[in-house]
C-alpha cells in the first residue's frame, strides 16, 4: 500500500480510538437514572460513578504520555484500547455499585492514554501541511461523539438493559485495535527516558486534588470549605511540581523531567494550549446546559436532544474544512508553492469571534423559542469552533519535537481536561444561581421548595408531581434565564480569546516548530534541523520512503 495511503488510514484508526472515548462520556449520563434503580445507587454513589473516571483521567494523563515516549506510542495506545474495552465490558456486567465504580476507574486509565497519544503521533507522522487535516479529523471525531452518544444511548436504553451503553464500546474498540495494529506505524523516543517518579506523584496528586475540588464545588457550592481547601491543596502541589521540574531541568539530571518547561517559551505552544483550554472551558459549560434545556424545558427524550446537536456538528465540520483549506499552502500551476490564504492568528481570532456571535445570539433564548432558533445559533457557534480549534491545536502541537510528542501532548490534554472541569463548575454555578434566584416557590413547604431549587430536573419533577402548571412554567423560565446568563459568559470568554489570539498567537503555526527537548536532540517534521538529525524512530516497513524529521 502506498505510504501516503497508509498514513491516511492510520489517521482513521486514531480517530476511531478517540471516538470510542467520546461515546463513553456522552452515553453514561443517560443511563444514570436506570443504574440508580437497578443497583440501588444513592446520589452520592452516582457522583462517584462519574467522578472516579474523571479523577483517574486527571491523575494518569501525564504519565501516560511519558510511557508512550519511552515504550512506543503504538504499544501504549494498543494497551490502552485493550484496557478500555475490557473495563467497558466490566462496567456493563457490574453487579454492584462498588464494581461499577472500580470498573469506571480502570476505564479512566485507558482513556488517559488514548487522549494524549492520539495527538502525540500527529507531530511524528505528519508534516506541517498534513497536520492541518489530521488535527481536523481528530477534533471532528471528538465532537461528533456528542450527538451520536445520546442518539445511540437513547436507542439502547429503550430496547436493552443499562449495561448496553457500555457494551457498545467493545465492537468499536475491536475495530480500532485492528486498525491500529495494521495501519499505525510505531514511534518512540530514541532516548528511552527514565521515569520521573517524583514528578509523576506530584502531578497526579495536584491534578487529582484540583479536579476533585472543582467537581465538589459544582455539586455543592463555592462556600464549601472542604472543596475550596482541596482546590488550594491541589494548586500548592502543582506549584511544587513545577518547582521540581525546574530543578531537574537546571541540574541536567539523568532523570528527564516529566514535562518540558522550555515548551512554554514558544508562543505557539503557550497560546495554542491556552486558547484550546479556553475552548474546553466554554464549550463544556454548553455541553452541560444544552441537554437539560432540550430535555427538561423542551420536553424531548435523549435521542431527540441528540439530534438537535447536529446543526452544531454541521457548522463545526464546515468550519474545520474551511480552516484546513485556508491554512494549507497552495500549489500554483507552475508547480511552485504559494503561502496559505490565512494564518493561524487570523483563523483562530475569526473563529472565536464567530463563536462569540453565536453564543450571544443563543443568550436571547426564551422558554418558548423554537428548534430553528436553537439550530441557528448552535450552527454559528459550531462554525466558529471549527475554524478556531484546529489552528489553536496546530500551534501547540507544532512546538513539539518528535522526541517529546507523547509527554507534550499529554500536557496539552491535561490542561484541556482541567479547563473542562473548571468550566462545568464555574459556568454550572452561574446557571444554578440564576435558576434558584428566579424560581418562584411561594407557598411551597420549605423542604419541597429546596428540592425544586436544587436543579431544573428536580424543579420539573416537583411541578409535575404537584400538578402545578405555574411552578412548571417558572422552572422552565428560570432555567432559560440561567442558561442565557451562562451563554453571555461563554460569549465573553470567546471574545476575550479572539483578542488574545490577535495579540499573542504567532501568525504561522509552523514558525514555532522544533522546540528542543531536554537533550537538545528533538526535532519535529518540517523543522529546520529535521534533515540533519532524526529524533524519533518509526517502524513502518523497509520499503517506506524517508520523511522529514523521521528515521524510517
Amino acid at each position: 500500500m502506498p505510504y501516503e495511503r497508509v498514513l491516511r488510514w492510520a489517521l482513521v484508526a486514531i480517530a476511531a480510538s478517540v471516538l470510542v472515548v467520546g461515546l463513553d462520556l456522552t452515553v453514561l449520563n443517560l443511563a444514570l437514572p436506570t443504574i440508580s434503580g437497578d443497583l440501588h445507587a444513592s446520589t452520592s454513589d452516582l457522583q462517584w460513578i462519574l467522578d472516579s473516571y474523571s479523577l483517574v483521567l486527571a491523575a494518569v494523563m501525564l504519565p501516560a504520555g511519558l510511557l508512550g515516549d519511552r515504550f512506543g506510542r503504538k504499544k501504549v495506545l494498543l494497551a490502552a484500547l485493550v484496557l478500555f474495552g475490557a473495563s467497558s465490558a466490566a462496567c456493563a456486567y457490574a453487579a454492584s455499585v462498588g464494581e461499577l465504580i472500580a470498573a469506571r476507574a480502570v476505564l479512566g486509565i485507558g482513556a488517559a492514554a488514548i487522549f494524549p497519544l492520539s495527538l502525540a503521533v500527529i507531530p511524528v507522522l505528519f508534516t506541517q501541511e498534513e497536520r492541518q487535516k489530521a488535527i481536523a479529523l481528530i477534533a471532528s471525531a471528538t465532537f461528533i461523539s456528542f450527538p451520536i452518544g445520546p442518539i445511540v444511548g437513547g436507542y439502547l436504553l429503550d430496547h436493552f438493559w443499562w449495561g448496553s451503553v457500555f457494551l457498545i464500546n467493545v465492537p468499536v474498540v475491536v475495530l480500532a485495535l485492528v486498525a491500529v495494529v495494521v495501519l499505525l506505524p510505531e514511534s518512540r523516543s530514541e532516548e528511552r527516558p527514565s521515569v520521573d517518579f517524583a514528578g509523576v506523584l506530584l502531578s497526579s496528586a495536584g491534578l487529582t486534588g484540583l479536579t476533585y475540588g472543582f467537581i465538589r464545588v459544582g455539586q455543592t457550592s463555592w462556600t464549601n470549605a472542604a472543596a475550596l481547601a482541596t482546590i488550594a491543596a491541589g494548586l500548592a502541589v502543582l506549584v511544587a511540581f513545577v518547582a521540581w521540574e525546574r530543578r531537574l531541568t537546571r541540574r541536567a539530571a539523568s532523570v528527564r523531567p516529566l514535562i518540558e518547561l522550555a515548551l512554554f517559551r514558544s508562543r505557539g505552544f503557550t497560546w495554542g494550549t491556552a486558547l484550546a483550554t479556553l475552548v474546553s472551558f466554554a464549550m463544556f459549560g454548553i455541553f452541560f446546559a444544552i441537554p437539560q434545556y432540550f430535555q427538561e424545558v423542551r420536553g424531548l427524550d435523549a435521542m431527540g436532544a441528540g439530534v438537535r446537536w447536529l446543526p452544531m456538528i454541521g457548522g463545526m465540520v464546515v468550519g474545520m474544512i474551511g480552516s484546513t483549506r485556508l491554512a494549507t499552502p497552495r500549489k500554483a500551476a507552475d508547480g511552485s508553492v504559494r503561502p496559505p490564504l490565512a494564518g493561524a492568528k487570523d483563523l483562530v481570532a475569526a473563529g472565536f469571534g464567530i463563536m462569540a456571535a453565536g453564543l450571544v445570539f443563543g443568550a436571547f433564548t426564551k422558554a418558548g423559542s423554537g428548534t430553528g432558533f436553537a439550530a441557528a445559533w448552535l450552527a454559528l457557534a459550531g462554525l466558529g469552533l471549527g475554524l478556531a480549534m484546529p489552528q489553536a491545536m496546530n500551534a501547540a502541537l507544532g512546538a513539539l519535537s518528535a522526541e517529546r510528542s507523547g509527554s507534550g501532548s499529554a500536557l496539552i490534554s491535561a490542561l484541556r481536561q482541567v479547563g473542562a472541569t473548571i468550566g462545568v463548575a464555574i459556568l454550572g454555578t452561574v446557571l444554578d444561581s440564576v435558576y434558584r434566584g428566579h424560581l418562584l416557590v411561594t407557598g411551597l413547604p420549605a423542604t419541597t421548595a429546596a428540592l425544586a431549587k436544587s436543579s431544573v430536573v428536580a424543579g420539573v419533577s416537583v411541578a409535575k408531581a404537584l400538578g402545578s402548571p405555574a411552578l412548571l412554567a417558572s422552572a422552565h423560565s428560570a432555567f432559560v434565564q440561567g442558561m442565557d446568563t451562562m451563554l453571555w459568559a461563554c460569549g465573553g470568554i470567546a471574545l476575550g480569546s479572539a483578542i488574545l489570539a490577535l495579540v499573542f498567537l504567532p501568525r504561522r503555526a509552523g514558525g514555532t516548530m522544533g522546540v528542543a527537548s531536554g537533550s537538545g536532540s528533538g526535532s519535529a517534521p518540517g523543522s529546520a534541523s529535521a534533515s540533519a538529525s532524526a529524533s524519533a524512530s518509526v517502524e513502518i516497513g523497509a520499503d517506506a520512503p524517508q520523511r522529514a524529521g523521521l528515521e524510517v
Side-chain angles (χ1 to χ4, degrees):
M1 184 183 292
Y3 183 70
E4 297 297 334
R5 187 175 297 177
V6 170
L7 284 185
R8 193 157 46 243
W9 283 107
L11 184 61
V12 173
I14 300 166
S17 303
V18 174
L19 178 64
V20 73
V21 178
L23 284 174
D24 182 77
L25 289 172
T26 52
V27 299
L28 176 61
N29 288 330
L30 301 176
L32 287 179
T34 309
I35 291 173
S36 178
D38 289 357
L39 297 184
H40 308 291
S42 65
T43 300
S44 177
D45 292 334
L46 295 179
Q47 289 172 350
W48 274 110
I49 291 171
L50 291 170
D51 296 348
S52 59
Y53 177 91
S54 300
L55 293 175
V56 172
L57 192 67
V60 179
M61 201 171 281
L62 285 178
L66 177 66
L67 291 175
D69 287 340
R70 179 180 174 88
F71 297 108
R73 296 164 191 121
K74 178 178 178 176
K75 288 186 179 67
V76 177
L77 181 58
L78 286 172
L81 284 169
V82 170
L83 192 63
F84 196 90
S87 54
S88 293
C91 288
Y93 293 104
S96 67
V97 170
E99 289 181 12
L100 183 55
I101 291 173
R104 284 279 294 168
V106 178
L107 200 68
I109 297 175
I114 292 171
F115 270 131
L117 293 179
S118 65
L119 294 176
V121 298
I122 292 177
V124 176
L125 298 180
F126 299 95
T127 62
Q128 179 185 346
E129 292 77 15
E130 296 165 334
R131 205 170 61 233
Q132 304 273 355
K133 298 176 183 178
I135 294 172
L137 181 60
I138 297 300
S140 296
T142 301
F143 286 102
I144 285 174
S145 66
F146 287 103
I148 292 178
I151 294 171
V152 173
Y155 176 83
L156 292 174
L157 289 172
D158 285 344
H159 295 83
F160 305 99
W161 95 114
W162 61 264
S164 62
V165 302
F166 293 106
L167 210 58
I168 191 63
N169 293 340
V170 177
V172 182
V173 166
V174 171
L175 291 175
L177 278 170
V178 172
V180 170
V181 168
V182 175
L183 299 169
L184 186 66
E186 180 61 284
S187 64
R188 61 169 62 86
S189 167
E190 283 195 341
E191 290 183 354
R192 302 297 188 273
S194 52
V195 178
D196 173 15
F197 287 107
V200 168
L201 290 174
L202 288 171
S203 65
S204 298
L207 288 173
T208 301
L210 194 65
T211 301
Y212 181 72
F214 277 107
I215 288 173
R216 292 299 300 160
V217 162
Q219 293 171 349
T220 55
S221 72
W222 286 91
T223 60
N224 186 311
L228 295 178
T230 305
I231 293 173
L235 287 172
V237 174
L238 288 176
V239 169
F241 167 65
V242 172
W244 170 255
E245 297 297 289
R246 291 184 64 183
R247 181 185 178 193
L248 283 183
T249 302
R250 287 197 305 267
R251 291 172 56 190
S254 58
V255 177
R256 195 171 75 178
L258 183 61
I259 64 172
E260 187 175 353
L261 296 176
L263 284 171
F264 291 101
R265 298 173 190 165
S266 162
R267 285 198 303 156
F269 180 85
T270 300
W271 290 103
T273 302
L275 292 168
T277 301
L278 286 171
V279 168
S280 298
F281 184 103
M283 295 309 299
F284 272 82
I286 294 173
F287 294 143
F288 170 77
I290 301 304
Q292 296 183 72
Y293 165 73
F294 283 133
Q295 291 181 263
E296 302 304 327
V297 178
R298 298 287 305 281
L300 301 171
D301 59 15
M303 187 178 298
V307 169
R308 265 67 176 183
W309 280 107
L310 293 179
M312 184 176 190
I313 301 303
M316 182 196 69
V317 171
V318 170
M320 286 183 173
I321 293 173
S323 176
T324 301
R325 290 183 176 178
L326 289 171
T328 301
R330 300 163 294 155
K331 290 185 178 180
D334 60 2
S336 62
V337 179
R338 296 180 179 177
L341 294 172
K345 178 194 291 283
D346 303 322
L347 289 169
V348 173
F352 273 119
I354 293 171
M355 190 190 308
L359 295 171
V360 169
F361 185 19
F364 290 95
T365 300
K366 306 297 180 187
S369 296
T371 298
F373 182 86
W377 75 262
L378 284 172
L380 192 59
L383 176 64
L385 175 65
L387 283 171
M389 177 60 90
Q391 300 308 317
M393 290 297 296
N394 193 29
L397 289 174
L400 300 182
S401 66
E403 183 73 26
R404 295 294 300 266
S405 66
S407 53
S409 298
L411 178 58
I412 296 171
S413 299
L415 291 174
R416 290 182 60 201
Q417 175 67 22
V418 170
T421 303
I422 295 173
V424 171
I426 293 178
L427 297 174
T429 300
V430 170
L431 189 156
D432 287 344
S433 62
V434 175
Y435 168 77
R436 289 192 298 268
H438 287 81
L439 184 65
L440 300 177
V441 291
T442 305
L444 293 179
T447 54
T448 304
L451 177 62
K453 285 188 172 186
S454 63
S455 70
V456 65
V457 176
V460 169
S461 297
V462 169
K464 290 180 178 179
L466 295 177
S468 172
L471 181 59
L472 183 63
S474 179
H476 289 168
S477 176
F479 180 82
V480 169
Q481 290 181 70
M483 186 182 76
D484 288 349
T485 303
M486 187 203 72
L487 289 175
W488 277 110
C490 292
I493 293 169
L495 182 59
S497 300
I499 295 171
L500 290 174
L502 285 173
V503 174
F504 295 109
L505 199 65
R507 186 162 296 278
R508 303 289 177 200
T512 61
M513 294 176 66
V515 172
S517 68
S519 66
S521 65
S523 64
S527 65
S529 63
S531 61
S533 171
S535 58
S537 61
V538 179
E539 304 161 5
I540 58 176
D543 59 339
Q546 181 80 16
R547 293 178 61 84
L550 300 177
E551 189 176 283
V552 180

